[in-house]
Amino acid sequence: MIKAGLKNYFINLKHFFTPIGTLAVGVFIGLSIIIPGGIAITGELIDRLSEIISESSIDFAAVKDYIVNAIRALDWGDPVEALKTMLNREWLTNVLNECLNVIASGLQPSADAINEVVAAAVAGIYLLFAMFILLAVLGLVCGYFLTRFLVRRTMAKRTFKKFIFAVLIDSVVTTGLISMCFWLLTVWGPSIYITSVLSLFIFGGVALFSAYLVHGRTLVTFKAVFNFANLMKLLLTNFLIFIISVTFFVLTVILTNALAGPLIGFSFIEIAFIVISMNAEGYVVELVSKSGKKAEEPPVEEAVEGAA
């Protein structure tokens, strides 16, 4: 099982560029919206502000006269000292503040109109950014499901009836286990440490049990699938795959940079979790294949009876 599980991971790395590609498509579509939209909003903002300023009563002549008078007031008998004063931070700050006061006094009647125009522009930019994030996330989600579909075709194909059957089993068992863990937590607080460790074994056992019901019932014996040795092998395989994927992720970040690395390396992690979620099914499918028997499609009621 360990060798087959690791092999499944490395084989399915052929889908490495699938999640990256769908993410790139989502980002590209998002950029094709946010860039032209941002340019349009910025242009409209500049036009509206220019229109408001042109209609305002700013005395630009007063601004110019103040700057000229401030420069003339310097001691030009000593040009070097005058230039030093002009480059002095305090002198420049005082002149700039006075100019801004003159401009602000002229714009005061138009302050509400300016605030309204700026607020509208900011709202438009936020909307474009939200659309960009949404499209990027959509690309990420589509990439996950497409990669999962491709990995399943490689590891453990199943019919729609088997899909529904597996969903029912996983839903019932998982809900029951989570409810039990919460109940234990309310009764005895420290139980969270015990259930955290036991959950690894429990969910591993559930994966083997579900894989048997979906792929191996009537084809292989229940004990051949569900036993302590297989459970430990499954947990060890999943742990090794996780460690390998994290190593690949870290190496990608080191070899690239902190921005591109995570965007490229996340594919290793995603494929790892997908393979981990299907390792039990892949094992049972391989076991059935070695037995030489072909799967039948009995009704769900018969399948449950056969698993009992």
Side-chain angles (χ1 to χ4, degrees):
M1 179 186 288
I2 297 175
K3 182 180 178 181
L6 295 176
K7 181 181 177 181
N8 284 332
Y9 176 65
F10 286 107
I11 288 177
N12 284 291
L13 285 180
K14 64 185 178 182
H15 307 303
F16 176 80
F17 291 103
T18 300
I20 296 176
T22 56
L23 175 62
V25 170
V27 170
F28 180 78
I29 296 175
L31 289 176
S32 69
I33 294 175
I34 194 172
I35 292 177
I39 293 174
I41 290 175
T42 303
E44 184 178 355
L45 174 63
I46 293 173
D47 292 340
R48 291 290 296 121
L49 289 178
S50 299
E51 181 181 343
I52 293 173
I53 291 175
S54 64
E55 295 173 355
S56 64
S57 57
I58 300 177
D59 191 354
F60 289 102
V63 175
K64 183 192 72 172
D65 291 341
Y66 177 81
I67 295 175
V68 171
N69 291 332
I71 295 174
R72 286 178 177 175
L74 298 175
D75 183 12
W76 289 101
D78 186 354
V80 175
E81 190 63 30
L83 289 174
K84 285 183 179 180
T85 304
M86 288 181 62
L87 297 175
N88 181 271
R89 180 177 180 180
E90 184 178 354
W91 185 88
L92 289 172
T93 301
N94 292 334
V95 173
L96 180 60
N97 286 337
E98 187 60 33
C99 292
L100 290 176
N101 289 335
V102 174
I103 294 173
S105 62
L107 288 176
Q108 191 61 40
S110 306
D112 292 340
I114 293 175
N115 289 335
E116 183 179 348
V117 170
V118 172
V122 171
I125 294 296
Y126 274 132
L127 179 60
L128 289 174
F129 186 72
M131 292 177 63
F132 172 77
I133 296 297
L134 177 63
L135 289 168
V137 171
L138 185 61
L140 196 64
V141 172
C142 290
Y144 170 79
F145 284 106
L146 179 58
T147 305
R148 187 177 180 85
F149 169 75
L150 295 174
V151 171
R152 178 165 290 285
R153 288 183 60 187
T154 303
M155 290 183 60
K157 293 181 181 179
R158 63 187 182 189
T159 62
F160 182 73
K161 186 182 294 186
K162 286 184 176 181
F163 167 74
I164 297 298
F165 187 38
V167 169
L168 289 174
I169 295 172
D170 291 342
S171 299
V172 172
V173 176
T174 303
T175 302
L177 289 173
I178 292 176
S179 300
M180 183 185 69
C181 290
F182 273 109
W183 177 77
L184 287 174
L185 182 62
T186 57
V187 174
W188 185 44
S191 67
I192 187 172
Y193 301 107
I194 300 175
T195 55
S196 296
V197 176
L198 288 179
S199 63
L200 296 175
F201 295 91
I202 292 173
F203 283 106
V206 170
L208 287 172
F209 179 71
S210 175
Y212 169 77
L213 292 181
V214 174
H215 298 285
R217 62 185 185 276
T218 72
L219 302 176
V220 293
T221 62
F222 181 69
K223 290 183 179 180
V225 176
F226 195 88
N227 56 66
F228 184 74
N230 280 348
L231 176 59
M232 295 304 297
K233 289 178 182 178
L234 178 64
L235 294 177
L236 178 58
T237 303
N238 293 342
F239 177 74
L240 290 175
I241 291 174
F242 177 72
I243 293 298
I244 292 171
S245 66
V246 171
T247 302
F248 285 161
F249 177 85
V250 173
L251 288 175
T252 304
V253 175
I254 293 174
L255 294 175
T256 55
N257 54 62
L259 178 61
L263 294 177
I264 299 173
F266 86 94
S267 192
F268 291 113
I269 305 294
E270 182 173 298
I271 293 175
F273 277 106
I274 293 173
V275 171
I276 286 172
S277 70
M278 298 182 189
N279 257 339
E281 291 185 68
Y283 169 72
V284 176
V285 168
E286 184 179 1
L287 204 63
V288 171
S289 177
K290 290 180 179 179
S291 71
K293 298 181 180 180
K294 293 184 178 180
E296 298 179 356
E297 292 295 336
V300 173
E301 292 82 1
E302 295 180 11
V304 175
E305 292 175 2

